[in-house]
C-alpha cells in the first residue's frame, strides 16, 4: 500500500459546530460542503468528520444508533454523497469517525439484546449478573457514576464505560467483529478514504472483568488501566486489518488513551499490520490534577520542559519503527492558544498561536488541525454552569461539587473554563455578523463572545494572519521531504531550557533548525546558524539573530 498519508495534513470538522445551512442552529452536511473551498484553500489533504450517523446525540454523535444512516439533523445520505464527491473533485480525502467500542442504546442490536438472555443479540453486549445487590465490579464510567446499569426487564447489568446510553460492544463475539468489518467495508466501498477509530484500544476487556484499583476520594474505580490495551487488542486489530484495511487504500488513526510508546509501536508499526497511527494522550495529560478524583479538572499550567520532554520521547521512540500523529487540539480538548499559548491580548494570541503551530508542524508524523485552530479560536470562558452543554462537564460538576464536595462551585467553574470539552465545540467563527455567520437560528451551543475580533473573514483579509501561517506550514510539509522523513534531535544545549524549544530535522541534503520562544519575555540565545542558512518561516517580519522576542518562532534551512 502507498503511504500518501505520511505527508498529508488532516483537518477535523465537528459537524454540529461548523456551518448551519437551514437555520435550525445545528451545523450540517450541506453547510460543510459549502465550506470545502475554504478548507481546500488552507491546503490540507484529508477532512476528518466527527460522527455524522443517526444518533440520539446523548454524546454528540459518539452514540451511534445506525452506522449506515445519516443523522437527520445533519442531512441525508444524498447530502453525504454530495459532500464526498465535491471533496474528491477538490482533491480532498474524507476520513470517517467510527465508534465501535460502544453503540447507542437505541441501536437495533442493543434493543434486541436487552429483550432477554435468549435473544440472539444478547451476546453483542457485555451483560453480567450482579454481586448480591451490587454491580458486577467496582468500575466507574468515564462520564461519572458506575460503569454498570441494571436492566430490570432482563434482570442483568450491562457495561457502559461512557454514558449509560452508550453500552459497550462485546468484541469477544465474532459476530460483533464481523458486523463491524462489514460496516467499514460498506463505507470504504462507498469511497471514503480513511477511518478515525474512537477509543479503539478499549475494545478488548480483561478476562473475568476484575475490580480495579481505587483511591480514597474516587467514588468508583478507574477502569482505564484494565480496559486500555487489553490482552486481545492486537489480535482484533490485525483481524480488522485483514478484513478491511488490506482491501482498500485507506488511512487509519486509532484514538488510544493510556497508550505508551511501546504499545504505540505495535499499533502503528510501519509493517502496516494494524493501524497507520494512534492519538496518544500523554501531552494532553500534563496539566491535569494530581488528585485522580479530579481527573483533568485543574488550573495547572504545563511547563515547556514537560511538553518538550514528552513530544521528544514520542519522536525518538517511534522513529523508523512506527508513525506519529501530531495534534494540539480536537473536539475533546481546550483550545491550544488558551491552554499552552497566551490569549490575553491580540498581539500575543496571534504570536503564540503561530509559535505553537511551529513547534508541532515541523515534527515527524501526520498533523491534525481542529476547526478554528487555524484562526486561533480561544476557549469559551463560559461564566455559569447553564452555559455548558457537554454531558461530561455537567456530570463532573455535579459529582465533584454537589455530591463529593471536593471543591467549591467557583473553583470548578474556573477549571471548566480551562478544560471543558465545550471550549472546542463553540460554533466556527466565520464573520462578524450575528452568530458569527454560523447560523441564522438559535445555536445549539453558545457562540464565543469574541467572534467579532476572531473570525475567518478577518483572517482571510490579513496576510499576516494565523490562517496564512498555517497555510504556509502545510505547504512547506508538502514541499520539503525532510519534514516527513528527516531525523529529529533536540539542540544539545536546549534539553533543559525552560523557555525555548529548539530542535533539528535532518536528512542527507537538508537540515532544518526550529527555534521557538515559549514565553512572553525577550531572550538572548545563541544557536549555531551557518552563513548560508535561509529563514523559511517566522512569526516576526524581521530576523534579529540571537535576540528572541516574545513568542518568536523561526525555522532555518541549510
Ligand atoms: O474527553 C475526554 C477528556 O478530555 C476524554 O477522556 C475522552 O472521553 C476520551 O478521549 C474518549 O473520547 C472519545 O470517546 C468518547 C467521546 O465522548 C469523545 O468525544 C471521543 O473523542 C466516547 O465515545
Ligand atoms: Ca442545520
Amino acid at each position: 500500500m502507498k503511504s500518501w498519508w505520511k505527508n498529508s495534513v488532516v483537518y477535523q470538522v465537528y459537524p454540529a459546530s461548523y456551518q448551519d445551512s437551514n437555520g435550525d442552529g445545528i451545523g450540517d452536511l450541506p453547510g460543510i460542503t459549502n465550506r470545502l473551498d475554504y478548507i481546500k484553500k488552507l491546503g490540507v489533504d484529508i477532512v476528518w468528520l466527527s460522527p455524522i450517523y443517526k444518533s440520539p446525540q446523548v454524546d454528540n454523535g459518539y452514540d451511534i444508533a445506525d452506522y449506515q444512516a445519516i443523522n437527520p439533523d445533519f442531512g441525508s445520505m444524498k447530502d453525504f454523497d454530495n459532500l464526498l464527491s465535491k471533496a474528491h473533485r477538490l482533491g480532498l480525502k474524507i476520513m470517517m469517525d467510527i465508534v465501535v467500542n460502544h453503540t447507542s442504546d437505541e441501536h437495533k442490536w442493543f434493543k434486541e439484546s436487552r429483550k432477554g438472555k435468549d435473544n440472539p443479540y444478547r451476546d453483542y453486549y457485555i451483560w453480567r449478573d450482579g454481586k448480591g445487590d451490587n454491580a458486577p465490579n467496582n468500575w466507574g464510567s468515564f462520564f461519572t457514576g458506575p460503569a454498570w446499569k441494571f436492566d430490570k426487564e432482563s434482570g442483568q447489568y450491562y457495561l457502559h464505560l461512557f454514558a449509560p446510553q452508550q453500552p459497550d460492544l462485546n468484541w469477544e463475539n465474532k459476530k460483533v467483529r464481523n458486523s463491524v468489518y462489514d460496516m467499514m467495508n460498506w463505507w470504504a466501498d462507498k469511497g471514503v478514504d480513511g477511518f478515525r477509530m474512537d477509543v479503539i484500544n478499549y475494545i478488548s476487556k480483561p478476562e473475568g472483568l476484575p475490580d480495579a484499583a481505587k483511591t480514597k476520594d474516587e467514588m468508583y474505580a478507574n477502569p482505564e488501566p484494565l480496559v486500555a490495551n487489553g490482552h486481545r487488542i492486537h489480535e482484533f486489530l490485525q483481524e480488522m486489518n485483514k478484513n478491511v484495511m488490506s482491501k482498500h487504500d485507506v488511512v487509519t488513526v486509532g484514538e488510544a488513551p493510556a497508550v505508551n510508546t511501546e504499545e504505540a509501536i505495535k499499533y502503528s508499526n510501519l509493517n502496516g499490520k494494524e493501524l497507520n497511527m494512534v492519538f496518544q494522550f500523554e501531552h494532553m495529560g500534563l496539566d491535569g490534577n494530581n488528585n485522580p478524583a479530579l481527573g483533568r479538572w485543574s488550573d495547572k499550567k504545563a511547563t515547556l520542559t514537560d511538553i518538550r520532554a514528552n513530544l521528544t520521547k514520542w519522536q525518538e521512540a517511534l522513529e523508523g519503527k512506527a508513525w506519529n500523529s501530531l495534534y494540539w487540539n480536537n473536539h475533546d480538548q481546550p483550545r491550544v492558544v488558551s491552554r499552552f499559548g497566551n490569549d490575553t491580548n491580540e498581539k500575543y494570541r496571534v504570536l503564540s498561536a503561530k509559535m505553537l503551530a511551529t513547534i508541532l508542524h515541523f515534527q515527524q508524523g501526520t498533523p491534525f488541525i481542529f476547526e478554528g485552530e487555524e484562526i486561533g479560536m480561544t476557549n469559551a470562558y463560559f461564566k455559569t454552569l447553564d452555559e455548558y452543554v457537554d454531558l461530561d462537564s455537567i456530570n463532573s460538576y455535579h459529582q465533584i461539587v454537589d455530591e463529593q464536595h471536593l471543591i467549591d462551585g467557583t473553583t470548578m467553574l474556573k477549571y471548566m473554563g480551562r478544560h471543558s470539552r465545550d471550549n472546542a465545540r463553540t460554533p466556527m467563527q466565520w464573520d462578524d455578523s450575528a452568530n458569527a455567520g454560523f447560523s441564522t437560528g438559535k445555536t445549539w451551543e453558545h457562540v464565543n463572545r469574541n467572534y467579532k475580533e476572531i473570525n475567518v473573514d478577518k483572517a482571510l483579509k490579513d496576510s499576516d494572519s494565523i490562517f496564512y501561517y498555517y497555510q504556509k506550514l502545510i505547504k512547506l510539509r508538502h514541499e520539503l521531504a525532510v519534514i516527513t522523513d528527516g531525523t529529529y534531535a533536540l539542540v544539545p544545549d536546549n534539553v533543559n531550557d525552560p523557555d525555548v524549544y529548539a530542535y533539528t530535522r535532518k536528512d542527507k541534503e537538508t537540515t532544518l533548525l526550529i527555534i521557538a520562544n515559549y514565553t512572553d519575555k525577550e531572550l538572548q540565545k545563541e544557536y549555531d546558524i551557518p552563513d548560508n542558512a535561509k529563514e523559511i518561516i517566522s512569526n516576526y517580519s524581521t530576523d534579529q539573530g540571537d535576540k528572541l522576542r516574545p513568542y518568536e518562532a523561526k525555522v532555518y534551512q541549510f
Side-chain angles (χ1 to χ4, degrees), residues 19-29 73-74 439:
Q19 177 69 67
D20 177 18
S21 72
N22 60 356
D24 66 357
I26 304 169
D28 46 49
L29 297 181
D73 285 343
F74 293 158
S439 171

Side-chain angles (χ1 to χ4, degrees), residues 14 48 59-63 97 99 101-102 142-143 162-163 166 196 198-199 202 224 255 257 281 284 296 330-334 390-392 419 421 425:
Y14 198 64
W48 152 25
D59 186 21
N60 291 358
Y62 285 88
D63 48 325
D97 200 327
V99 186
N101 172 70
H102 46 271
F142 295 117
F143 291 157
F162 294 90
Q166 292 169 298
R196 178 265 185 190
D198 196 64
V199 286
Y202 286 1
E224 191 170 71
E255 188 198 27
F281 281 80
M284 295 285 109
R296 71 184 191 282
N330 63 41
H331 63 289
D332 293 332
Q333 299 297 332
D390 172 35
L391 86 166
D392 177 41
H419 284 283
R421 307 197 297 181
R425 302 174 180 185

Side-chain angles (χ1 to χ4, degrees), residues 214-284:
K214 194 176 95 54
T215 62
K216 166 173 95 17
D217 280 349
E218 287 178 303
M219 290 181 74
Y220 299 94
N222 177 6
E224 191 170 71
L226 295 180
V227 299
N229 316 308
H231 64 299
R232 295 187 70 186
I233 185 68
H234 297 290
E235 174 198 335
F236 292 161
L237 288 176
Q238 286 169 27
E239 184 184 81
M240 179 194 281
N241 185 301
K242 266 203 202 99
N243 283 281
V244 183
M245 287 84 110
S246 73
K247 299 181 178 158
H248 307 274
D249 188 15
V250 287
V251 57
T252 51
V253 51
E255 188 198 27
V259 72
N260 57 26
T261 53
E262 208 179 300
E263 279 295 316
I265 290 170
K266 300 183 199 157
Y267 289 123
S268 55
N269 201 287
L270 297 174
N271 70 16
K273 290 203 171 120
E274 297 184 19
L275 304 171
N276 295 135
M277 56 199 136
V278 291
F279 291 131
Q280 63 99 1
F281 281 80
E282 290 182 349
H283 63 315
M284 295 285 109

Side-chain angles (χ1 to χ4, degrees), residues 45 86 212 228 233 260 300 353 374 495 543:
D45 307 277
K86 178 164 177 192
I233 185 68
N260 57 26
K300 182 172 155 190
E374 78 282 13
V495 181
D543 185 8

Side-chain angles (χ1 to χ4, degrees), residues 118-185:
D118 305 327
N119 189 281
Y121 285 91
R122 187 65 168 182
D123 203 30
Y124 263 53
Y125 295 86
I126 301 171
W127 293 94
R128 292 289 185 278
D129 292 328
K131 280 193 182 147
D133 285 340
N134 297 320
N137 69 25
N138 68 353
W139 296 359
S141 144
F142 295 117
F143 291 157
T144 75
W148 294 94
K149 185 167 165 143
F150 186 66
D151 182 59
K152 271 204 209 94
E153 286 82 76
S154 66
Q156 283 187 306
Y157 289 83
Y158 66 86
L159 178 70
H160 60 88
L161 291 179
F162 294 90
Q165 300 91 334
Q166 292 169 298
D168 280 56
L169 283 166
N170 175 20
W171 276 72
E172 300 291 326
N173 182 347
K174 184 128 181 92
K175 283 194 204 141
V176 167
R177 305 204 297 275
N178 286 335
S179 304
V180 168
Y181 308 149
D182 288 349
M183 176 274 287
M184 292 174 75
N185 279 318

Side-chain angles (χ1 to χ4, degrees), residues 380 382 387-390 393 420-426 444-445:
F382 290 152
E387 289 185 273
Y388 285 91
V389 180
D390 172 35
S393 305
S420 168
R421 307 197 297 181
D422 284 305
N423 287 309
R425 302 174 180 185
T426 59
W444 72 276
E445 164 110 9

